[in-house]
Amino acid sequence: MKTISVIAGLLLCSMNALSQTRDKYEFMRNLPVYADSLLADLNYPLAWGHSDIRDFDEWRKMARQKVFDCMLTPPPAPAHGYEAKVLYEEQRDGYKARKIEIRLSRYYTVPAYVLIPDGKGPFPAVNALHDHGAHLFIGKEKMIRPLACEDSTVIKDADEWLKGYEGQYFGDYLAKNGYVVFSADAPMWGERGQKEGARRDRYDMIAGNMMMYGIDLSAWMTYDDIAGTEYLAQMPEVDARRIGCTGWSMGAYRAWMLSALSDRIKVGTAICWMVTTDEQMSFKYSRTENGGFANCFPGLRRWLDYPHIASLACPKPMLFINGSQDKLFPVAGVQKAFQTMHDTWKSQGADAKLDTELWDMPHSCNKKAQHRVLEFFRKHL
């Protein structure tokens, strides 16, 4: 009875702690109460058009370096290049599917899937970047149908996750249409997750601990996307002059970040991730940003906003699709971001290469969006 009483007491204390509030506070709805003042002080001095630099190539070099500076310590490069080994291979309808393991850093190897069309290459290629979805159990399997070597729970989970993609594996769809497709697990997703199990609430804690080492976990996701693209470029089946990238949600964020920071990427497409900070981080809407460390580079917002960083990809062909019913990204912020990017592309005489589209859809990557991406790649890649 004494043990039961102790447990009951602990539970009561825990419940009280969850409900305790103070009359005076400084944070609410995941933001500081002075959020509007913080936003008012953001003037993005390194943005194109704000900076004193008038030569676009010089500006891009300087602004890109600022992004890298804010990404903190990069992973150390592998000693002997991006060595990879094939773990499993199977033939699919018009293409081969491989599971590989690549050494992207001296610290770690990364599991990935690669799809290679049948026939004579080299082929154009796409780095397919998986989403967040607060679901960390699978990563690359969100973009490419799991191979037969995977556990049945992984295969079942991936098939269920396809609802956001309207039942179609995006990577397999591109491979059927003649593209080499690469997709790797981001840090904390899939086979790069936590031993204790995939839990969204642990991501921020682990990201905070990584900062104790001087490492930004979100930045390492981007560094790995850059390194994975370098591996893709060295594959004999790939035409290194024709590499694009795509993704939905966090995958879209990864796609325009990769397009901005890697010269290997010639064409980028992003579905449902673009906005301005003044709309995303305010109290104007019922939902406030809760992405946390998944897209956070320390100090970067004092220099550049999201569309300013994406503008580092100019004058590459870029496609952005957002949904007017997408509750994650306020339409006003999406429209401001689109205008900022168009102003940049126009300044370089390249506005015809930038497509920004607002569709009547929620946060999703349906078959119509996937087909639009394929059309864009066919035109520019």
Side-chain angles (χ1 to χ4, degrees):
M1 290 295 292
K2 184 177 179 180
T3 301
I4 294 174
S5 298
V6 170
I7 293 173
L10 290 171
L11 288 172
L12 182 61
C13 288
S14 177
M15 291 172 64
N16 287 337
L18 289 173
S19 62
Q20 285 180 322
T21 61
R22 298 289 295 270
D23 291 337
K24 186 174 176 58
Y25 54 86
E26 195 167 332
F27 298 87
M28 66 179 186
R29 295 174 56 198
N30 301 326
L31 298 177
V33 295
Y34 44 85
D36 290 343
S37 296
L38 290 177
L39 291 171
D41 285 342
L42 295 178
N43 56 9
Y44 310 115
L46 292 190
W48 176 247
H50 298 186
S51 168
D52 292 336
I53 300 175
R54 293 293 177 261
D55 180 89
F56 190 79
D57 290 340
E58 184 183 346
W59 168 80
R60 182 170 50 206
K61 181 179 179 180
M62 177 274 300
R64 182 184 278 185
Q65 186 56 54
K66 176 57 71 175
V67 176
F68 280 122
D69 290 345
C70 291
M71 288 168 67
L72 305 183
T73 309
H80 305 291
Y82 302 117
E83 298 174 315
K85 60 180 178 180
V86 178
L87 304 179
Y88 189 84
E89 181 175 296
E90 65 188 32
Q91 181 66 40
R92 294 184 176 176
D93 184 15
Y95 57 99
K96 291 187 292 290
R98 290 176 183 164
K99 181 175 184 178
I100 63 174
E101 189 173 78
I102 320 165
R103 179 158 293 282
L104 292 186
S105 164
R106 179 160 53 85
Y107 293 153
Y108 51 79
T109 57
V110 175
Y113 288 160
V114 180
L115 306 179
I116 304 171
D118 295 341
K120 183 176 174 56
F123 303 98
V126 175
N127 192 341
L129 305 151
H130 70 72
D131 63 70
H132 186 307
H135 186 69
L136 282 66
F137 181 65
I138 54 174
K140 60 190 178 298
E141 300 89 356
K142 295 178 177 183
M143 298 299 282
I144 292 176
R145 179 162 58 88
L147 277 70
C149 61
E150 304 294 359
D151 185 273
S152 60
T153 57
V154 171
I155 296 172
K156 183 174 184 289
D157 193 75
D159 286 341
E160 290 176 352
W161 193 253
L162 270 192
K163 293 174 184 176
Y165 295 85
E166 205 174 7
Q168 178 170 271
Y169 282 101
F170 198 176
D172 292 74
Y173 174 66
L174 292 172
K176 286 180 180 179
N177 282 278
Y179 294 85
V180 171
V181 181
F182 171 90
S183 190
D185 289 333
M188 285 295 292
W189 271 267
E191 295 175 276
R192 302 183 70 186
Q194 189 177 12
K195 179 181 179 181
E196 293 81 2
R199 286 177 52 182
R200 166 63 183 89
D201 62 343
R202 293 289 180 179
Y203 183 95
D204 293 347
M205 184 179 294
I206 289 173
N209 284 341
M210 292 292 277
M211 282 192 170
M212 299 297 188
Y213 298 107
I215 293 166
D216 180 72
L217 191 59
S218 175
W220 276 33
M221 175 173 69
T222 299
Y223 279 124
D224 284 349
D225 290 342
I226 295 170
T229 306
E230 290 297 324
Y231 167 76
L232 189 57
Q234 75 182 28
M235 288 181 59
E237 299 92 347
V238 169
D239 181 348
R241 301 165 299 175
R242 294 191 293 160
I243 299 178
C245 62
T246 193
W248 167 54
S249 195
M250 183 184 78
Y253 163 84
R254 295 168 66 188
W256 57 255
M257 282 294 300
L258 178 59
S259 300
L261 299 178
S262 171
D263 292 331
R264 286 288 189 188
I265 296 296
K266 305 305 181 185
V267 182
T269 66
I271 303 171
C272 291
W273 209 121
M274 181 45 68
V275 73
T276 53
T277 298
D278 64 333
E279 299 292 332
Q280 189 73 353
M281 300 295 291
S282 76
F283 289 114
K284 296 178 184 178
Y285 308 97
S286 60
R287 183 190 185 278
T288 54
E289 170 62 37
N290 62 8
F293 285 105
N295 54 21
C296 174
F297 294 174
L300 183 54
R301 208 57 63 237
R302 291 285 162 176
W303 303 101
L304 299 158
D305 200 359
Y306 301 119
H308 303 141
I309 301 166
S311 292
L312 292 169
C314 178
K316 297 175 185 178
M318 295 288 294
L319 167 67
F320 292 84
I321 300 172
N322 268 67
S324 61
Q325 309 305 316
D326 189 337
K327 296 179 180 180
L328 301 187
F329 300 103
V331 170
V334 174
Q335 291 174 327
K336 287 180 186 178
F338 284 177
Q339 186 60 56
T340 294
M341 292 188 294
H342 276 291
D343 288 344
T344 304
W345 263 259
K346 284 177 184 176
S347 75
Q348 302 308 303
D351 197 48
K353 294 182 180 179
L354 176 64
D355 286 4
T356 57
E357 302 173 3
L358 190 63
W359 292 13
D360 182 15
M361 70 175 189
H363 192 70
S364 67
C365 184
N366 57 34
K367 291 180 181 179
K368 181 181 176 183
Q370 293 178 46
H371 181 67
R372 179 72 181 94
V373 168
L374 175 62
E375 285 184 331
F376 197 78
F377 282 148
R378 282 175 169 166
K379 179 178 179 181
H380 296 288
L381 200 63

